[in-house]
Amino acid sequence: MIAIGERINGMFTDIKRAIEEGDKEPVKKWAVRQIEAGADYLDVNAGAASKKPSETIKWLVECIKEALPDAPIAIDSPRAEVMKAGLEACRENGIKKMLINSTTGQREKLEYNFGLAREFGAAVICLTMDQRGIPKDVDYRVEVAATHVATAMEYDIPVENIFLDPIAMPVKHAQDQIKHIMEAIRQFTLICSPQPHIVVGLSNVGQGTTQKELVNRTFLVLGIMNGLDAAIVDVCDAELMNAAITAELLLNKQVYSDDFIKAYMSRARCI
Ligand code: THG
């Protein structure tokens, strides 16, 4: 699984405070901790409350760079100017691996974000929604996903740089959506060959439940069964990460050894 660490996000109170006070330490601490836990990318989100999100995203990237010279970064913002500022900050700081999180399916959004992807050599998370709003069924998600893939081809973006996101919903408020999301994931794997990556924001699912770790972990295993190969997650939740590795092992996507978890984790730490 490609693990994208969720923790550098202004929705968490320690990061929100760090941003408000210009305190670099919590950001640096979470950067190191998440990479040590096996994160392949660090998601960076200024938070909904940020008044100057472009400046904030630039500052967050600089903090990460001070802690780790070349950690891969996912810029998490729906806003065009924030995305550009974040990618520029990555480039100025010598960060080579970048992920645009995210684009939606409206033609002008795709043109803008795929233009940036080409300019910066970045991968792109493509949410399967457009001007019609939040997806409710499988067909809508698959239709938008196919448009994403076709448009990426027009822009010469290699399919391995495309991450389709069916938009995971909280089970507490949209329980009936989970089975549609699973089926959408399964159908995304059939859109083209080689297939695009498929990602979700996992913590959306358990949000507000009393057993969120269990809910998220179980969703992740079901998702992997259906073809999910990436997730924005709490990489410091060892039980979650171990469940993902074990699911991949049982599906013959990892090589078995008696020490498979240890072997996988030590490889992850060497990035
Ligand atoms: N898709 C894409 N990007 C995304 C999402 C997605 N980025 C943001 C989000 N969704 C993924 N990240 C999070 C991070 C935290 C939480 C949910 C999603 C979250 N955390 C605590 C919880 O679990 O209850 C609450 C925060 C706190 O502790 O203060 O809910 O879907 N492409």
Side-chain angles (χ1 to χ4, degrees):
M1 180 179 74
I2 298 170
I4 304 164
E6 71 179 12
R7 198 53 178 74
I8 302 178
N9 185 324
M11 83 181 281
F12 291 98
T13 45
D14 59 343
I15 299 294
K16 184 167 184 278
R17 190 198 57 77
I19 293 168
E20 282 163 4
E21 295 175 11
D23 176 7
K24 291 178 173 178
E25 287 315 312
V27 182
K28 291 165 79 167
K29 178 190 80 180
W30 279 112
V32 172
R33 206 183 262 189
Q34 291 186 102
I35 291 289
E36 281 181 353
D40 297 291
Y41 285 93
L42 301 176
D43 194 61
V44 179
N45 185 319
S50 171
K51 287 181 198 72
K52 293 179 178 168
S54 294
E55 278 177 38
T56 301
I57 214 94
K58 190 167 183 287
W59 180 78
L60 290 168
V61 169
E62 286 164 4
C63 291
I64 293 170
K65 155 77 186 193
E66 277 184 31
L68 301 158
D70 56 3
I73 290 183
I75 303 293
D76 189 351
S77 174
R79 295 172 62 165
E81 73 282 7
V82 180
M83 186 57 64
K84 189 149 196 267
L87 295 172
E88 280 169 354
C90 288
R91 185 158 65 187
E92 281 160 23
N93 286 284
I95 289 154
K96 285 172 219 67
K97 223 172 145 191
M98 307 172 208
L99 180 55
I100 292 171
N101 185 13
S102 52
T103 186
T104 49
Q106 294 93 315
R107 184 77 203 178
E108 67 279 8
K109 295 260 188 193
L110 284 183
E111 284 176 0
Y112 182 78
N113 285 301
F114 286 165
L116 288 178
R118 205 157 55 178
E119 183 184 343
F120 289 87
V124 192
I125 295 181
C126 304
L127 302 180
T128 56
M129 63 175 284
D130 58 19
Q131 63 285 348
R132 291 170 289 174
I134 297 290
K136 291 231 164 32
D137 60 40
V138 176
D139 290 351
Y140 172 28
R141 289 179 164 99
V142 175
E143 178 201 320
V144 179
T147 306
H148 284 311
V149 170
T151 313
M153 283 175 184
E154 274 176 46
Y155 277 77
D156 290 322
I157 314 259
V159 69
E160 63 264 27
N161 280 1
I162 296 295
F163 289 71
L164 298 174
D165 182 339
I167 311 181
M169 312 261 199
V171 65
K172 193 168 177 168
H173 303 296
Q175 193 175 357
D176 68 313
Q177 282 300 306
I178 308 291
K179 63 179 187 295
H180 297 313
I181 293 162
M182 291 299 158
E183 176 59 14
I185 291 170
R186 193 188 69 77
Q187 293 191 27
F188 289 174
T189 67
L190 307 172
I191 287 176
C192 63
S193 178
Q195 66 192 55
H197 294 293
I198 304 171
V199 67
V200 292
L202 190 69
S203 296
N204 298 1
V205 182
Q207 212 169 34
T209 66
T210 53
Q211 298 286 334
K212 64 182 178 185
E213 291 85 2
L214 178 61
V215 169
N216 291 341
R217 186 160 76 236
T218 307
F219 182 100
L220 184 61
V221 170
L222 293 172
I224 290 170
M225 175 72 209
N226 283 283
L228 191 74
D229 70 345
I232 303 159
V233 287
D234 174 5
V235 292
C236 298
D237 179 345
E239 287 194 87
L240 178 78
M241 299 296 275
N242 290 345
I245 298 157
T246 310
E248 291 183 343
L249 181 89
L250 294 173
L251 293 167
N252 205 25
K253 292 172 200 275
Q254 301 285 346
V255 177
Y256 181 81
S257 74
D258 287 346
D259 264 347
F260 68 91
I261 288 178
K262 232 198 272 173
Y264 186 93
M265 294 312 282
S266 62
R267 197 186 60 181
R269 286 212 180 85
C270 294
I271 296 166

